């Protein structure tokens, strides 16, 4: 790994402005809340002051109206699709001391492991055989002696691995911030989204919970997307670790980062992740969150983000249990992980590994169970990877998404990729639920896309694979 670290400062984070906005928040005024919800339904987003008014609202009736607005926006832009993926942890070696994470360098309770290429191929094969098409490669911030080449080689291995007719078609990466030169190498490895969570945008809290290693440098992390974009990676995923600091501050800070990226590069993040801190072996902070986010505030966060940044996808991981996940789907979530393990080698050794995992998972169901559940709830499980492979990323994606056109591609692609899953990997009960859903979707689709949907689904039924528009 190159040691060249730029001196760029994250000046876009204006703590004083966030505090002033939060302090100025008025007690709930029903008329104002309704005006803001009416603006949100137009799908042009919300500013910080409007977001704050919605954050402060706890009136049950107005909250219900906010959830209804979020449902409407989600449905209008994303339809009823949920895109599925799995994380692939390649290594839990780390040189940082993040007090909430089991991978932190001085944690003696963790069993360390960095997978070799054969083990990475084996994990990939297991995910392919479950039916996955997208993986998120994840690693701690200390690579075996090859440095970044270790990660690049892992991505290459995932793309090259095959099992039967199956393959992984999109690899995203959640790895530590890089220099511009190294981001260029990551881009050349053909990643989809580069994901990195700031954890907290509050400098004082950041310093208190990151007590060792490169990650102590707030600015190096908070400017990582500037360097990624300079390197040509226009598809990035942001996030904070909820539980470290006041969630209201963090949501407004994310909004500042989004505005900064839009101003500087003409495109904001592709996704926002909303991890809540979970217990982690040997990391006491993870058991004693200073700012716990309640389930009801968590729902509010998802709905608020859906209204404030309607064209940015929201990712819900298996940190959350099945019920919490279900409750947030309709409010704005567009991508979910399923069947996840968060320890290196966790798919091959699913019975063990708790002493090498990053945190405790909340949803332990298999991919097949999650597919059956979401299909029974009326959502289309999508394994589509078309946009990224057709170069519809960054500003091109946003240009398409904003007039609502994305629905015309995503809806038929979701059905064809779902049918592929049902025919190749699903258990009989899941296949039945899924096929009923596809029939219903095809029958009720907008006439302009119905024909495309029917064509793609019949092609898959006629044994073609990987068909999309
Ligand atoms: N090591 C890299 C980094 O920190 O950017 C790669 C990602 S790290 C393995 C993935 C993410 O897991 C972190 O960014 C953090 O938000 C999250 N995480 C760490 N400890 C957690 C915990 N106890 N509960 C939930 N999420 C946690
Ligand atoms: Fe290492 Fe990332 Fe965990 Fe921090 S969050 S200890 S950098 S793996």
């Amino acid at each position: 790994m190159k040691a060249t670290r730029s001196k760029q400062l994250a000046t876009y984070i204006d703590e004083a402005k966030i505090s002033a906005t939060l302090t100025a928040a008025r007690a709930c005024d029903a008329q104002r809340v309704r005006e803001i919800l009416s603006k949100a339904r137009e799908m042009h987003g919300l500013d910080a002051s409007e977001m704050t008014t919605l954050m402060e609202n706890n009136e049950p009736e107005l909250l219900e109206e906010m959830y209804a607005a979020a449902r409407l926006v989600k449905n209008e832009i994303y339809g009823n699709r949920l895109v599925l993926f799995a994380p692939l942890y390649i290594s839990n070696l780390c040189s940082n001391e993040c007090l909430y994470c089991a991978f932190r360098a001085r944690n003696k309770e963790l069993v360390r492991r960095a997978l070799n290429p054969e083990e990475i191929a084996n994990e990939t094969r297991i995910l392919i055989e479950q039916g996955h098409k997208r993986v998120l490669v994840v690693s701690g911030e200390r690579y075996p002696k090859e440095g970044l080449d270790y990660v690049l080689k892992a991505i290459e291995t995932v793309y090259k691995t095959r099992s039967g007719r199956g393959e992984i078609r999109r690899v995203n990466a959640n790895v530590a911030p890089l220099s511009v030169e190294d981001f260029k190498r990551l881009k050349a490895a053909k990643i989809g989204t580069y994901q990195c969570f700031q954890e907290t945008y509050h400098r004082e809290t950041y310093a208190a919970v990151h007590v060792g290693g490169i990650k102590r440098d707030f600015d190096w992390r908070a400017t990582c997307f500037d360097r990624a974009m300079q390197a040509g990676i226009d598809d990035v995923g942001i996030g904070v670790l909820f539980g470290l600091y006041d969630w209201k501050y963090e949501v407004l800070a994310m909004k500042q980062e989004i505005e900064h990226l839009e101003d500087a590069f003409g495109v904001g993040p592709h996704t926002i992740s909303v991890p809540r801190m979970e217990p982690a072996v040997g990391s006491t902070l993870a058991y004693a969150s200073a700012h716990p986010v309640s389930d009801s505030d968590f729902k509010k966060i998802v709905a608020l983000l859906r209204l404030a940044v309607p064209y940015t996808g929201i990712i819900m991981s298996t940190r959350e249990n099945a019920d919490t996940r279900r409750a947030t789907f309709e409010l704005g979530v567009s991508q979910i992980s399923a069947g996840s393990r968060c320890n290196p080698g966790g798919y091959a050794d699913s019975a063990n590994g708790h002493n090498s995992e990053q945190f405790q998972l909340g949803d332990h169901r298999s991919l097949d169970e999650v597919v059956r559940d979401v299909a029974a709830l009326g959502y289309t499980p999508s394994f589509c990877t078309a946009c990224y492979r057709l170069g519809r990323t960054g500003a091109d994606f946003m240009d398409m998404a904003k007039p609502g056109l994305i629905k015309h591609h995503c809806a038929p692609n979701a059905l064809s990729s779902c049918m592929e899953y049902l025919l190749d990997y699903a258990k009989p009960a899941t296949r039945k639920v899924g096929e009923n859903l596809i029939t219903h979707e095809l029958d009720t689709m907008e006439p302009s896309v119905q024909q495309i949907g029917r064509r793609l689904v019949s092609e898959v039924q006629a044994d073609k694979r990987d068909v999309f528009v």
Side-chain angles (χ1 to χ4, degrees):
M1 175 85 38
K2 291 210 175 68
T4 46
R5 302 214 339 249
S6 72
K7 293 271 180 284
Q8 192 184 352
L9 299 179
T11 48
Y12 67 86
I13 294 293
D14 188 339
E15 295 196 2
K17 194 169 167 188
I18 298 175
S19 301
T21 310
L22 289 172
T23 313
R26 281 172 294 156
C28 184
D29 168 347
Q31 193 192 334
R32 181 72 191 123
V33 170
R34 290 198 171 108
E35 278 165 18
I36 294 169
L37 292 180
S38 159
K39 178 182 170 194
R41 283 192 289 269
E42 288 168 20
M43 296 183 287
H44 300 304
L46 298 175
D47 65 27
S49 151
E50 292 161 339
M51 289 168 73
T52 311
T53 303
L54 295 189
M55 284 176 190
E56 294 301 325
N57 168 43
N58 291 311
E59 289 292 323
E61 196 186 327
L62 291 174
L63 263 181
E64 235 354 279
E65 289 178 34
M66 175 174 161
Y67 293 151
R71 281 194 285 269
L72 181 137
V73 171
K74 146 101 202 231
N75 199 49
E76 198 50 42
I77 297 176
Y78 300 88
N80 66 349
R81 293 167 299 112
L82 283 173
V83 172
L84 286 143
F85 73 95
L88 173 45
Y89 278 69
I90 56 173
S91 160
N92 62 10
L93 311 185
C94 196
S95 51
N96 294 319
E97 248 329 271
C98 310
L99 297 181
Y100 45 81
C101 178
F103 293 177
R104 67 188 176 80
R106 293 201 285 268
N107 186 3
K108 297 277 179 281
E109 292 179 46
L110 190 83
V111 176
R112 303 279 168 182
R113 188 169 177 197
L115 302 185
N116 63 32
E118 290 70 40
E119 290 167 330
I120 292 170
N122 194 34
E123 292 284 280
T124 307
R125 222 170 283 119
I126 294 169
L127 290 172
I128 293 172
E129 286 161 12
Q130 288 174 5
H132 279 291
K133 297 284 185 266
R134 289 179 176 231
V135 302
L136 172 70
V137 162
V138 187
S139 169
E141 191 169 0
R142 178 159 76 82
Y143 306 120
K145 59 182 182 329
E146 313 93 289
L148 181 62
D149 282 344
Y150 173 72
V151 176
L152 302 179
K153 177 93 183 124
I155 295 170
E156 188 189 338
T157 302
V158 175
Y159 274 130
K160 275 198 335 220
T161 303
R162 296 279 179 281
S163 182
R165 303 165 79 189
E167 69 205 325
I168 296 298
R169 298 175 185 156
R170 173 174 176 143
V171 180
N172 299 330
N174 186 328
V175 294
L178 302 170
S179 64
V180 175
E181 301 86 78
D182 282 343
F183 270 129
K184 284 184 182 160
R185 299 176 65 210
L186 193 61
K187 180 178 164 64
K190 299 195 172 12
I191 57 155
T193 307
Y194 170 66
Q195 199 183 68
C196 181
F197 306 152
Q198 180 58 29
E199 322 296 11
T200 171
Y201 288 90
H202 188 249
R203 283 180 187 267
E204 194 184 320
T205 304
Y206 190 93
V209 300
H210 299 108
V211 297
I214 295 174
K215 194 163 164 183
R216 292 189 68 202
D217 186 340
F218 178 98
D219 291 287
W220 175 249
R221 194 165 183 93
T223 56
C224 72
F225 298 124
D226 294 69
R227 296 191 300 282
M229 294 256 182
Q230 283 161 29
I233 298 177
D234 59 3
D235 197 326
V236 300
I238 69 169
V240 293
L241 185 55
F242 286 109
L244 292 178
Y245 189 59
D246 176 15
W247 68 263
K248 295 176 183 173
Y249 174 95
E250 304 290 15
V251 169
L252 292 187
M254 284 200 283
K255 174 76 171 150
Q256 288 189 340
E257 168 134 42
I258 293 167
E259 284 170 1
H260 160 67
L261 293 174
E262 283 171 346
D263 289 347
F265 302 99
V267 62
H270 188 62
T271 56
I272 301 180
S273 296
V274 289
R276 274 198 292 188
M277 199 155 68
E278 301 297 333
V281 166
S283 297
T284 45
L285 183 71
Y287 293 89
S289 164
H291 296 270
V293 174
S294 67
D295 287 349
S296 57
D297 281 342
F298 191 60
K299 271 177 68 177
K300 204 195 241 185
I301 290 170
V302 173
L304 181 64
L305 289 171
R306 183 66 304 129
L307 298 173
V309 283
Y311 296 97
T312 306
I314 300 178
I315 301 181
M316 186 60 57
S317 78
T318 54
R319 288 174 181 82
E320 300 299 334
N321 65 33
D323 285 340
T324 304
R325 273 152 60 89
R326 284 188 198 106
T328 58
F329 292 162
E330 60 172 8
L331 298 177
V333 168
S334 50
Q335 288 190 32
I336 59 171
S337 47
S340 308
R341 296 285 178 275
C342 64
N343 55 309
Y347 295 109
D349 188 12
S350 59
N352 299 306
H354 293 303
N355 51 5
S356 60
E357 71 185 7
Q358 196 190 8
F359 44 77
Q360 275 176 28
L361 295 170
D363 184 347
H364 302 274
R365 295 171 301 165
S366 67
L367 173 64
D368 192 75
E369 288 170 290
V370 172
V371 167
R372 195 181 325 144
D373 187 41
V374 301
L377 291 168
Y379 298 100
T380 306
S382 173
F383 295 85
C384 178
T385 54
C387 278
Y388 149 74
R389 291 156 81 215
L390 293 172
R392 294 193 299 243
T393 61
D396 290 345
F397 175 83
M398 287 297 170
D399 288 348
M400 256 181 60
K402 289 202 170 151
L405 279 176
I406 201 78
K407 263 179 147 176
H408 292 89
H409 294 267
C410 299
N413 290 345
L415 295 180
S416 58
S417 63
C418 179
M419 183 54 94
E420 201 174 317
Y421 172 84
L422 297 176
L423 295 178
D424 294 347
Y425 304 102
K427 292 200 166 141
T430 306
R431 182 165 165 180
K432 194 159 171 235
V433 176
E435 286 181 337
N436 286 342
L437 177 94
I438 291 177
T439 306
H440 175 262
E441 289 299 309
L442 285 172
D443 288 346
T444 53
M445 253 174 150
E446 282 179 28
S448 56
V449 274
Q450 194 173 48
Q451 216 185 343
I452 305 170
R454 288 199 193 285
R455 174 172 63 79
L456 294 188
V457 169
S458 340
E459 284 180 13
V460 175
Q461 285 168 322
D463 219 27
K464 267 183 106 172
R465 290 292 173 267
D466 202 14
V467 293
F468 52 82
V469 286

